[in-house]
């Protein structure tokens, strides 16, 4: 290794530790291209992915990773190792691994969110205000608490403007916004049918460059602080306005939003009665950007031991996951299901195979509690990628072939009402 390359590696390591991954990317790619260290101060990196990766869906920060065909999850790892400190160390990348990722363009494309995705199905596009039935409202609001401020959109159905049946809090994925997420999931139409209000909190670009919820940061994985406290505050504000209790309050999300929905389920189990997690990760899967990449690839167990609240509340959970997801490995869905499954010997499990109206096959795993009520559902959609199942093509990151995740989530939420 020559002196220039060694110097570049040291600079890249310092930038990575400081979470300045854009600078680390630039330095390493210039070094690999043979440009001198002094040149890296002003050069512009080429972050176009190799041709074999240009069709990879959902290449955004930090919720983007390509899974090599040979990559295998460590689902068989013993539970005794989780939380003993080894998992956190194991999830961190070595310098050689970081160089390999950057050489392939994967970390750069994930962090900067600037792959050439024009023309790919489900990529970013302009989304206009939705067409709504007479009497419905799609309001623009904002919420502020000590942890910060976020705006949100609130759908109030014409079918129940004053006394809605419940509330669904929808957390969008990276490079999405409330309007796009509402359009793509079609959740407003489902909510209209069932008399539900729907809140869509907006992650700001100032808090994450690609508008991702920061599910992987320790400060955003705790109660009464960070982004969870902001989302909880929005939830409680709406619950108070419409006189809703926990049994009628639900949270759901896609990708980074799904991972944050898992955080909300863990940190505010007294606020929500059920969670919908679509292409997401279990609570405690990561504690920084690098361990987030590892978790998404399915390379490790939990990065930290979840601190479950002993208050008697257990959320019901419905999970959707594509079997061909190249961004979040399906083993993450297995971890979510395992964490949500009741430990009581009285619970029962059964599996059903089916096909959506458009012919896409899926396997539905149903777990009931000792009383026979719905506890967990897991929909593994055959051949689906990183996109909302059954979504509308007018929104981003959707798979119109189904099955319809929005309808099934709402059905599951309402089935368990007290």
């Amino acid at each position: 290794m020559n002196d220039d390359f060694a110097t570049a590696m040291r600079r890249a390591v310092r930038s990575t530790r400081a979470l300045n991954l854009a600078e680390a990317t630039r330095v390493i790619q210039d070094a690999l291209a043979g440009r001198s260290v002094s040149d890296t101060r002003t050069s512009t990196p080429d972050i176009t992915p190799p041709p074999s990766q240009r069709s990879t869906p959902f290449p955004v920060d930090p919720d983007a990773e390509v899974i090599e065909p040979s990559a295998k999850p460590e689902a068989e790892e013993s539970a005794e190792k989780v939380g003993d400190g080894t998992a956190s160390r194991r999830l961190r990348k070595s310098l050689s691994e970081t160089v390999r990722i950057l050489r392939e363009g994967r970390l750069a494309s994930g962090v900067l969110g600037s792959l050439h995705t024009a023309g790919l199905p489900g990529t970013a596009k302009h989304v206009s205000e939705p067409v709504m039935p007479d009497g419905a409202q799609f309001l623009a609001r904002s919420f502020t608490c000590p942890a910060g401020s976020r705006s949100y959109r609130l759908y109030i159905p014409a079918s129940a403007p004053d006394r809605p049946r419940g509330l669904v809090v929808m957390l969008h994925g990276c490079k999405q916004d409330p309007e796009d997420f509402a359009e793509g999931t079609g959740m407003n139409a489902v909510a209209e049918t069932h008399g539900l209000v729907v809140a869509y909190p907006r992650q700001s670009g100032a808090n994450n460059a690609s508008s991702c919820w920061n599910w992987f940061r320790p400060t955003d994985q705790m109660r009464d602080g960070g982004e969870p406290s902001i989302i909880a505050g929005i939830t409680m504000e709406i619950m108070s306005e419409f006189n809703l209790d926990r049994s009628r309050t639900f949270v759901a999300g896609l990708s980074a939003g799904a991972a944050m929905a898992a955080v909300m389920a863990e940190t505010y189990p007294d606020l929500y009665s059920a969670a919908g997690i679509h292409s997401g990760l279990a609570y405690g899967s990561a504690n920084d950007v690098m361990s987030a990449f590892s978790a998404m690839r399915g390379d490790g167990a939990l990065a930290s031991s979840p601190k479950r609240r002993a208050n008697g509340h257990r959320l019901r959970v419905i999970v959707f996951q594509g079997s061909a997801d190249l961004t979040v490995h399906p083993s993450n869905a297995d971890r979510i299901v395992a964490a949500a499954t009741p430990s009581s010997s009285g619970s029962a499990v059964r599996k059903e195979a089916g096909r959506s109206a458009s012919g896409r096959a899926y396997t539905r795993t149903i777990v009931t509690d000792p009383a026979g009520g719905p506890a967990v559902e897991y929909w593994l959609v055959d051949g689906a990628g990183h996109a909302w199942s059954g979504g509308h093509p007018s929104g981003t990151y959707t798979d119109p072939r189904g099955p319809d995740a929005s309808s099934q989530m709402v059905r599951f939420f309402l089935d368990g009402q007290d």
Side-chain angles (χ1 to χ4, degrees):
M1 181 180 291
N2 60 39
D3 291 341
D4 276 352
F5 191 81
T7 300
M9 292 303 98
R10 286 193 293 272
R11 179 178 297 172
V13 168
R14 289 195 299 271
S15 296
T16 299
R17 287 173 178 170
L19 296 184
N20 188 354
L21 298 182
E23 175 66 11
T25 297
R26 183 174 66 80
V27 169
I28 291 180
Q29 289 191 330
D30 282 352
L32 293 173
R35 291 186 284 272
S36 68
V37 173
S38 59
D39 292 339
T40 65
R41 298 177 186 272
T42 58
S43 61
T44 301
D46 177 8
I47 57 174
T48 304
S52 63
Q53 295 177 18
R54 288 179 188 170
S55 62
T56 301
F58 214 62
V60 291
D61 166 35
D63 207 8
E65 181 58 278
V66 176
I67 306 164
E68 293 85 2
S70 60
K72 296 181 179 179
E74 296 180 13
E76 302 300 322
E77 185 152 16
S78 63
E80 288 77 14
K81 293 184 179 180
V82 178
D84 64 2
T86 61
S88 178
R89 293 192 296 273
R90 181 174 57 254
L91 294 179
R92 295 183 181 276
K93 297 290 186 189
S94 65
L95 176 58
S96 61
E97 174 69 358
T98 301
V99 170
R100 181 180 68 81
I101 293 173
L102 290 168
R103 186 191 295 272
E104 296 171 1
R106 294 188 280 135
L107 186 55
S109 63
V111 172
L112 301 180
S114 53
L115 293 183
H116 302 296
T117 55
L120 292 179
T123 54
K125 62 192 79 173
H126 174 71
V127 178
S128 59
E129 285 291 301
V131 176
M132 299 185 298
D134 290 342
Q137 301 178 72
F138 198 33
L139 306 177
R141 293 183 171 183
S142 64
F143 175 82
T144 299
C145 68
S149 300
R150 294 295 188 278
S151 63
Y152 66 97
R153 298 299 297 264
L154 180 67
Y155 182 79
I156 302 177
S159 59
D162 300 317
R163 296 181 60 84
R165 189 176 179 187
L167 163 66
V168 182
V169 178
M170 293 283 286
L171 302 176
H172 64 73
C174 298
K175 285 197 168 178
Q176 292 183 310
D177 57 35
E179 295 78 15
D180 174 21
F181 198 39
E183 184 77 11
T185 61
M187 186 59 81
N188 288 354
V190 179
E192 185 67 46
T193 300
H194 294 279
L196 303 171
V197 290
V198 188
Y200 300 88
R202 184 189 308 271
Q203 174 65 306
S204 70
N207 291 280
N208 184 287
S210 291
S211 301
C212 309
W213 295 101
N214 294 302
W215 59 273
F216 53 92
R217 297 195 313 200
T219 55
D220 293 307
Q221 296 182 37
M222 62 180 64
R223 186 183 178 95
D224 299 330
E227 291 176 355
S229 68
I230 300 174
I231 296 168
I234 292 172
T235 304
M236 289 186 282
E237 183 175 78
I238 300 168
M239 291 173 69
S240 176
E241 178 179 352
F242 291 99
N243 193 27
L244 299 171
D245 59 26
R246 173 185 180 270
S247 70
R248 297 191 289 166
T249 305
F250 320 103
V251 61
L254 170 66
S255 194
M260 185 54 77
V263 171
M264 299 307 297
E266 193 66 46
T267 56
Y268 288 91
D270 53 332
L271 201 58
Y272 307 98
S273 64
I277 302 177
H278 199 312
S279 310
L281 298 97
Y283 175 80
S285 293
N287 52 21
D288 56 22
V289 173
M290 300 308 291
S291 60
F293 283 126
S294 294
M296 289 156 48
R297 194 173 57 237
D299 275 353
L302 300 183
S304 60
S305 178
K307 297 177 177 58
R308 302 190 183 281
R309 297 182 60 81
N311 58 8
H313 293 302
R314 172 178 285 276
L315 266 69
R316 296 174 293 108
V317 176
I318 179 169
V319 178
F320 270 77
Q321 175 67 50
S323 69
D325 192 332
L326 297 180
T327 300
V328 174
H329 193 279
S331 62
N332 287 286
D334 295 332
R335 294 188 180 100
I336 296 168
V337 171
T341 298
S343 57
S344 171
S345 59
S347 60
V349 180
R350 73 177 189 274
K351 291 190 176 184
E352 301 174 350
R355 289 187 179 274
S356 68
S358 63
R360 189 182 285 284
Y362 61 84
T363 301
R364 177 187 177 205
T365 302
I366 304 167
V367 181
T368 57
D369 60 27
V376 182
E377 279 194 18
Y378 174 26
W379 294 66
L380 181 62
V381 186
D382 187 42
H386 197 71
W388 189 270
S389 182
H392 195 280
S394 59
T396 63
Y397 313 115
T398 61
D399 178 2
R401 293 184 60 190
D404 186 344
S406 296
S407 293
Q408 294 299 335
M409 283 187 182
V410 169
R411 185 265 313 157
F412 178 82
F413 293 161
L414 298 180
D415 278 354
Q417 280 192 344
D418 295 336

Short mmCIF file of all heavy atoms in Angstrom, two decimals, residues 82-132:
data_model
loop_
_atom_site.label_atom_id
_atom_site.label_comp_id
_atom_site.label_asym_id
_atom_site.label_seq_id
_atom_site.Cartn_x
_atom_site.Cartn_y
_atom_site.Cartn_z
N VAL A 82 -27.16 -12.43 22.11
CA VAL A 82 -27.76 -11.14 21.86
C VAL A 82 -27.67 -10.29 23.12
O VAL A 82 -28.07 -10.69 24.20
CB VAL A 82 -29.24 -11.29 21.45
CG1 VAL A 82 -29.86 -9.92 21.26
CG2 VAL A 82 -29.34 -12.10 20.18
N GLY A 83 -27.11 -9.09 22.97
CA GLY A 83 -27.05 -8.17 24.09
C GLY A 83 -25.84 -8.36 24.98
O GLY A 83 -25.71 -7.66 25.98
N ASP A 84 -24.92 -9.30 24.64
CA ASP A 84 -23.76 -9.47 25.52
C ASP A 84 -22.57 -8.63 25.06
O ASP A 84 -21.47 -8.77 25.59
CB ASP A 84 -23.36 -10.96 25.56
CG ASP A 84 -22.91 -11.48 24.19
OD1 ASP A 84 -22.87 -10.69 23.22
OD2 ASP A 84 -22.59 -12.68 24.11
N GLY A 85 -22.79 -7.76 24.07
CA GLY A 85 -21.72 -6.91 23.60
C GLY A 85 -21.06 -7.42 22.34
O GLY A 85 -20.47 -6.65 21.58
N THR A 86 -21.14 -8.73 22.07
CA THR A 86 -20.49 -9.26 20.88
C THR A 86 -21.23 -8.88 19.63
O THR A 86 -20.63 -8.70 18.58
CB THR A 86 -20.38 -10.80 20.97
OG1 THR A 86 -21.71 -11.33 21.06
CG2 THR A 86 -19.59 -11.21 22.20
N ALA A 87 -22.57 -8.76 19.72
CA ALA A 87 -23.34 -8.43 18.52
C ALA A 87 -22.96 -7.06 18.00
O ALA A 87 -22.80 -6.86 16.81
CB ALA A 87 -24.83 -8.48 18.84
N SER A 88 -22.81 -6.10 18.90
CA SER A 88 -22.48 -4.74 18.47
C SER A 88 -21.13 -4.72 17.78
O SER A 88 -20.96 -4.08 16.75
CB SER A 88 -22.47 -3.80 19.68
OG SER A 88 -22.11 -2.50 19.29
N ARG A 89 -20.15 -5.44 18.32
CA ARG A 89 -18.85 -5.47 17.67
C ARG A 89 -18.92 -6.19 16.33
O ARG A 89 -18.28 -5.80 15.37
CB ARG A 89 -17.84 -6.17 18.60
CG ARG A 89 -17.54 -5.38 19.86
CD ARG A 89 -16.35 -5.95 20.57
NE ARG A 89 -16.59 -7.31 21.05
CZ ARG A 89 -17.12 -7.59 22.21
NH1 ARG A 89 -17.51 -6.62 23.01
NH2 ARG A 89 -17.30 -8.84 22.59
N ARG A 90 -19.70 -7.25 16.28
CA ARG A 90 -19.77 -8.03 15.05
C ARG A 90 -20.41 -7.24 13.92
O ARG A 90 -20.09 -7.43 12.76
CB ARG A 90 -20.60 -9.29 15.32
CG ARG A 90 -20.71 -10.20 14.10
CD ARG A 90 -21.41 -11.50 14.46
NE ARG A 90 -22.71 -11.31 15.01
CZ ARG A 90 -23.00 -11.46 16.30
NH1 ARG A 90 -22.07 -11.79 17.16
NH2 ARG A 90 -24.22 -11.26 16.75
N LEU A 91 -21.32 -6.31 14.24
CA LEU A 91 -22.01 -5.57 13.21
C LEU A 91 -21.18 -4.45 12.62
O LEU A 91 -21.54 -3.89 11.61
CB LEU A 91 -23.32 -5.00 13.77
CG LEU A 91 -24.36 -6.03 14.16
CD1 LEU A 91 -25.59 -5.32 14.71
CD2 LEU A 91 -24.74 -6.90 13.00
N ARG A 92 -20.06 -4.11 13.23
CA ARG A 92 -19.24 -3.03 12.71
C ARG A 92 -18.37 -3.54 11.57
O ARG A 92 -17.83 -4.63 11.61
CB ARG A 92 -18.37 -2.43 13.81
CG ARG A 92 -19.20 -1.76 14.90
CD ARG A 92 -18.30 -1.12 15.93
NE ARG A 92 -19.10 -0.51 16.98
CZ ARG A 92 -19.62 0.71 16.90
NH1 ARG A 92 -19.42 1.43 15.82
NH2 ARG A 92 -20.33 1.20 17.89
N LYS A 93 -18.21 -2.71 10.54
CA LYS A 93 -17.43 -3.09 9.38
C LYS A 93 -15.95 -2.87 9.61
O LYS A 93 -15.53 -1.88 10.22
CB LYS A 93 -17.85 -2.25 8.17
CG LYS A 93 -19.30 -2.45 7.75
CD LYS A 93 -19.51 -3.80 7.14
CE LYS A 93 -20.92 -3.93 6.59
NZ LYS A 93 -21.24 -5.28 6.17
N SER A 94 -15.12 -3.80 9.10
CA SER A 94 -13.69 -3.57 9.08
C SER A 94 -13.37 -2.58 7.96
O SER A 94 -14.18 -2.33 7.08
CB SER A 94 -12.96 -4.89 8.82
OG SER A 94 -13.28 -5.36 7.52
N LEU A 95 -12.15 -2.04 7.97
CA LEU A 95 -11.76 -1.10 6.93
C LEU A 95 -11.79 -1.77 5.56
O LEU A 95 -12.27 -1.19 4.57
CB LEU A 95 -10.35 -0.55 7.21
CG LEU A 95 -9.78 0.38 6.15
CD1 LEU A 95 -10.70 1.57 5.96
CD2 LEU A 95 -8.38 0.83 6.55
N SER A 96 -11.33 -3.03 5.48
CA SER A 96 -11.32 -3.72 4.19
C SER A 96 -12.72 -3.92 3.65
O SER A 96 -12.98 -3.79 2.46
CB SER A 96 -10.60 -5.07 4.31
OG SER A 96 -11.28 -5.90 5.23
N GLU A 97 -13.67 -4.21 4.56
CA GLU A 97 -15.06 -4.39 4.14
C GLU A 97 -15.65 -3.06 3.68
O GLU A 97 -16.38 -2.99 2.68
CB GLU A 97 -15.89 -4.96 5.30
CG GLU A 97 -17.39 -5.06 5.03
CD GLU A 97 -17.75 -6.12 4.00
OE1 GLU A 97 -16.82 -6.75 3.46
OE2 GLU A 97 -18.95 -6.32 3.75
N THR A 98 -15.31 -1.99 4.40
CA THR A 98 -15.80 -0.67 3.99
C THR A 98 -15.27 -0.29 2.62
O THR A 98 -16.00 0.23 1.77
CB THR A 98 -15.38 0.40 5.02
OG1 THR A 98 -15.91 0.04 6.30
CG2 THR A 98 -15.89 1.77 4.63
N VAL A 99 -13.99 -0.58 2.39
CA VAL A 99 -13.40 -0.29 1.07
C VAL A 99 -14.11 -1.08 -0.01
O VAL A 99 -14.42 -0.57 -1.09
CB VAL A 99 -11.89 -0.62 1.07
CG1 VAL A 99 -11.33 -0.56 -0.34
CG2 VAL A 99 -11.14 0.34 1.97
N ARG A 100 -14.43 -2.36 0.28
CA ARG A 100 -15.11 -3.19 -0.72
C ARG A 100 -16.48 -2.62 -1.06
O ARG A 100 -16.88 -2.55 -2.23
CB ARG A 100 -15.27 -4.63 -0.19
CG ARG A 100 -15.95 -5.57 -1.19
CD ARG A 100 -16.06 -6.98 -0.61
NE ARG A 100 -16.98 -7.04 0.48
CZ ARG A 100 -18.30 -7.12 0.34
NH1 ARG A 100 -18.84 -7.13 -0.88
NH2 ARG A 100 -19.10 -7.19 1.38
N ILE A 101 -17.22 -2.22 -0.02
CA ILE A 101 -18.55 -1.65 -0.25
C ILE A 101 -18.45 -0.38 -1.07
O ILE A 101 -19.19 -0.17 -2.03
CB ILE A 101 -19.25 -1.37 1.09
CG1 ILE A 101 -19.57 -2.68 1.81
CG2 ILE A 101 -20.53 -0.57 0.89
CD1 ILE A 101 -20.11 -2.50 3.21
N LEU A 102 -17.48 0.47 -0.70
CA LEU A 102 -17.35 1.73 -1.42
C LEU A 102 -16.87 1.52 -2.85
O LEU A 102 -17.24 2.23 -3.77
CB LEU A 102 -16.38 2.66 -0.67
CG LEU A 102 -16.93 3.21 0.64
CD1 LEU A 102 -15.82 3.86 1.45
CD2 LEU A 102 -18.03 4.21 0.38
N ARG A 103 -16.02 0.51 -3.05
CA ARG A 103 -15.55 0.21 -4.41
C ARG A 103 -16.73 -0.15 -5.31
O ARG A 103 -16.77 0.18 -6.49
CB ARG A 103 -14.56 -0.96 -4.38
CG ARG A 103 -13.92 -1.25 -5.74
CD ARG A 103 -13.17 -2.58 -5.71
NE ARG A 103 -12.05 -2.56 -4.79
CZ ARG A 103 -10.81 -2.17 -5.14
NH1 ARG A 103 -10.59 -1.73 -6.36
NH2 ARG A 103 -9.84 -2.20 -4.26
N GLU A 104 -17.72 -0.85 -4.74
CA GLU A 104 -18.89 -1.25 -5.53
C GLU A 104 -19.91 -0.12 -5.66
O GLU A 104 -20.89 -0.24 -6.38
CB GLU A 104 -19.57 -2.45 -4.86
CG GLU A 104 -18.68 -3.69 -4.84
CD GLU A 104 -19.27 -4.81 -4.00
OE1 GLU A 104 -20.37 -4.60 -3.46
OE2 GLU A 104 -18.64 -5.87 -3.88
N GLY A 105 -19.68 0.98 -4.95
CA GLY A 105 -20.60 2.11 -5.07
C GLY A 105 -21.81 2.02 -4.19
O GLY A 105 -22.69 2.85 -4.25
N ARG A 106 -21.87 0.99 -3.31
CA ARG A 106 -23.11 0.76 -2.58
C ARG A 106 -23.29 1.73 -1.43
O ARG A 106 -24.37 2.27 -1.22
CB ARG A 106 -23.16 -0.67 -2.05
CG ARG A 106 -23.26 -1.68 -3.17
CD ARG A 106 -23.51 -3.07 -2.62
NE ARG A 106 -22.28 -3.66 -2.15
CZ ARG A 106 -22.19 -4.29 -0.99
NH1 ARG A 106 -23.23 -4.37 -0.21
NH2 ARG A 106 -21.06 -4.84 -0.61
N LEU A 107 -22.22 1.97 -0.64
CA LEU A 107 -22.37 2.87 0.48
C LEU A 107 -22.60 4.29 -0.01
O LEU A 107 -23.41 5.02 0.52
CB LEU A 107 -21.13 2.80 1.37
CG LEU A 107 -21.17 3.59 2.68
CD1 LEU A 107 -22.37 3.19 3.49
CD2 LEU A 107 -19.90 3.39 3.45
N ALA A 108 -21.88 4.67 -1.06
CA ALA A 108 -22.05 6.02 -1.59
C ALA A 108 -23.47 6.24 -2.07
O ALA A 108 -24.10 7.24 -1.77
CB ALA A 108 -21.07 6.25 -2.74
N SER A 109 -23.99 5.27 -2.81
CA SER A 109 -25.35 5.44 -3.32
C SER A 109 -26.35 5.43 -2.19
O SER A 109 -27.34 6.15 -2.22
CB SER A 109 -25.69 4.32 -4.31
OG SER A 109 -25.67 3.06 -3.68
N GLY A 110 -26.10 4.62 -1.14
CA GLY A 110 -27.02 4.58 -0.03
C GLY A 110 -27.03 5.87 0.76
O GLY A 110 -28.07 6.40 1.10
N VAL A 111 -25.84 6.40 1.06
CA VAL A 111 -25.76 7.58 1.90
C VAL A 111 -26.21 8.83 1.17
O VAL A 111 -26.92 9.66 1.71
CB VAL A 111 -24.32 7.74 2.43
CG1 VAL A 111 -24.17 9.06 3.15
CG2 VAL A 111 -23.98 6.60 3.36
N LEU A 112 -25.80 8.96 -0.07
CA LEU A 112 -26.10 10.19 -0.79
C LEU A 112 -27.41 10.14 -1.52
O LEU A 112 -27.96 11.17 -1.92
CB LEU A 112 -24.96 10.50 -1.78
CG LEU A 112 -23.57 10.65 -1.15
CD1 LEU A 112 -22.56 10.95 -2.24
CD2 LEU A 112 -23.56 11.75 -0.11
N GLY A 113 -27.94 8.93 -1.74
CA GLY A 113 -29.24 8.80 -2.37
C GLY A 113 -29.28 9.38 -3.77
O GLY A 113 -30.27 9.98 -4.17
N SER A 114 -28.21 9.17 -4.55
CA SER A 114 -28.18 9.85 -5.85
C SER A 114 -27.88 8.89 -7.00
O SER A 114 -27.20 9.24 -7.94
CB SER A 114 -27.12 10.95 -5.82
OG SER A 114 -25.88 10.45 -5.41
N LEU A 115 -28.36 7.67 -6.93
CA LEU A 115 -28.25 6.77 -8.06
C LEU A 115 -29.14 7.24 -9.19
O LEU A 115 -30.12 7.94 -8.98
CB LEU A 115 -28.67 5.35 -7.66
CG LEU A 115 -27.77 4.63 -6.66
CD1 LEU A 115 -28.29 3.22 -6.44
CD2 LEU A 115 -26.35 4.59 -7.12
N HIS A 116 -28.81 6.83 -10.40
CA HIS A 116 -29.62 7.22 -11.55
C HIS A 116 -30.80 6.28 -11.66
O HIS A 116 -30.73 5.24 -12.31
CB HIS A 116 -28.76 7.18 -12.82
CG HIS A 116 -27.57 8.08 -12.73
ND1 HIS A 116 -27.67 9.44 -12.62
CD2 HIS A 116 -26.24 7.81 -12.70
CE1 HIS A 116 -26.46 9.98 -12.56
NE2 HIS A 116 -25.59 9.02 -12.59
N THR A 117 -31.92 6.64 -11.04
CA THR A 117 -33.08 5.75 -10.97
C THR A 117 -34.21 6.20 -11.87
O THR A 117 -35.30 5.65 -11.79
CB THR A 117 -33.60 5.67 -9.52
OG1 THR A 117 -33.87 6.99 -9.06
CG2 THR A 117 -32.58 5.01 -8.62
N ALA A 118 -33.99 7.18 -12.71
CA ALA A 118 -35.07 7.65 -13.57
C ALA A 118 -35.58 6.52 -14.44
O ALA A 118 -34.80 5.79 -15.05
CB ALA A 118 -34.57 8.80 -14.44
N GLY A 119 -36.88 6.39 -14.48
CA GLY A 119 -37.48 5.38 -15.34
C GLY A 119 -37.74 4.06 -14.66
O GLY A 119 -38.42 3.20 -15.22
N LEU A 120 -37.19 3.84 -13.46
CA LEU A 120 -37.44 2.59 -12.76
C LEU A 120 -38.83 2.62 -12.13
O LEU A 120 -39.31 3.66 -11.71
CB LEU A 120 -36.41 2.39 -11.65
CG LEU A 120 -34.97 2.13 -12.11
CD1 LEU A 120 -34.08 1.97 -10.89
CD2 LEU A 120 -34.89 0.89 -12.98
N PRO A 121 -39.51 1.46 -12.05
CA PRO A 121 -40.84 1.44 -11.43
C PRO A 121 -40.76 1.90 -9.98
O PRO A 121 -39.89 1.50 -9.24
CB PRO A 121 -41.22 -0.05 -11.52
CG PRO A 121 -40.36 -0.62 -12.58
CD PRO A 121 -39.08 0.16 -12.53
N GLY A 122 -41.70 2.75 -9.60
CA GLY A 122 -41.80 3.14 -8.21
C GLY A 122 -40.80 4.15 -7.74
O GLY A 122 -40.63 4.35 -6.55
N THR A 123 -40.05 4.82 -8.63
CA THR A 123 -39.11 5.82 -8.17
C THR A 123 -39.77 7.17 -8.10
O THR A 123 -40.90 7.35 -8.52
CB THR A 123 -37.89 5.85 -9.11
OG1 THR A 123 -38.34 6.03 -10.46
CG2 THR A 123 -37.10 4.57 -9.03
N ALA A 124 -39.03 8.14 -7.54
CA ALA A 124 -39.63 9.42 -7.16
C ALA A 124 -40.31 10.12 -8.34
O ALA A 124 -39.81 10.13 -9.45
CB ALA A 124 -38.56 10.32 -6.58
N LYS A 125 -41.45 10.69 -8.07
CA LYS A 125 -42.20 11.42 -9.07
C LYS A 125 -43.06 12.45 -8.35
O LYS A 125 -43.23 12.41 -7.15
CB LYS A 125 -43.09 10.47 -9.88
CG LYS A 125 -44.13 9.76 -9.04
CD LYS A 125 -44.80 8.62 -9.77
CE LYS A 125 -43.93 7.39 -9.79
NZ LYS A 125 -44.61 6.22 -10.34
N HIS A 126 -43.61 13.37 -9.11
CA HIS A 126 -44.46 14.38 -8.50
C HIS A 126 -45.80 13.75 -8.13
O HIS A 126 -46.41 13.04 -8.92
CB HIS A 126 -44.67 15.54 -9.48
CG HIS A 126 -45.66 16.55 -8.97
ND1 HIS A 126 -45.37 17.41 -7.92
CD2 HIS A 126 -46.93 16.82 -9.35
CE1 HIS A 126 -46.41 18.17 -7.70
NE2 HIS A 126 -47.37 17.85 -8.55
N VAL A 127 -46.24 14.01 -6.93
CA VAL A 127 -47.53 13.51 -6.47
C VAL A 127 -48.42 14.70 -6.16
O VAL A 127 -48.08 15.55 -5.34
CB VAL A 127 -47.38 12.62 -5.21
CG1 VAL A 127 -48.73 12.16 -4.74
CG2 VAL A 127 -46.47 11.44 -5.53
N SER A 128 -49.56 14.77 -6.82
CA SER A 128 -50.49 15.87 -6.61
C SER A 128 -51.38 15.58 -5.40
O SER A 128 -51.39 14.48 -4.85
CB SER A 128 -51.34 16.08 -7.85
OG SER A 128 -52.08 14.90 -8.15
N GLU A 129 -52.13 16.59 -4.99
CA GLU A 129 -53.07 16.39 -3.90
C GLU A 129 -54.09 15.32 -4.29
O GLU A 129 -54.57 15.30 -5.43
CB GLU A 129 -53.79 17.70 -3.59
CG GLU A 129 -52.93 18.70 -2.83
CD GLU A 129 -52.64 18.24 -1.41
OE1 GLU A 129 -53.58 18.01 -0.64
OE2 GLU A 129 -51.45 18.11 -1.09
N PRO A 130 -54.43 14.42 -3.38
CA PRO A 130 -55.33 13.32 -3.72
C PRO A 130 -56.76 13.79 -3.96
O PRO A 130 -57.20 14.80 -3.42
CB PRO A 130 -55.25 12.41 -2.49
CG PRO A 130 -54.92 13.35 -1.36
CD PRO A 130 -54.00 14.37 -1.97
N VAL A 131 -57.46 13.03 -4.78
CA VAL A 131 -58.89 13.26 -4.96
C VAL A 131 -59.61 12.64 -3.76
O VAL A 131 -59.37 11.49 -3.41
CB VAL A 131 -59.38 12.63 -6.27
CG1 VAL A 131 -60.89 12.79 -6.41
CG2 VAL A 131 -58.66 13.24 -7.46
N MET A 132 -60.49 13.41 -3.13
CA MET A 132 -61.14 12.94 -1.91
C MET A 132 -62.65 13.03 -2.04
O MET A 132 -63.17 13.86 -2.79
CB MET A 132 -60.69 13.78 -0.71
CG MET A 132 -59.21 13.73 -0.43
SD MET A 132 -58.79 14.64 1.10
CE MET A 132 -59.31 16.30 0.65
#
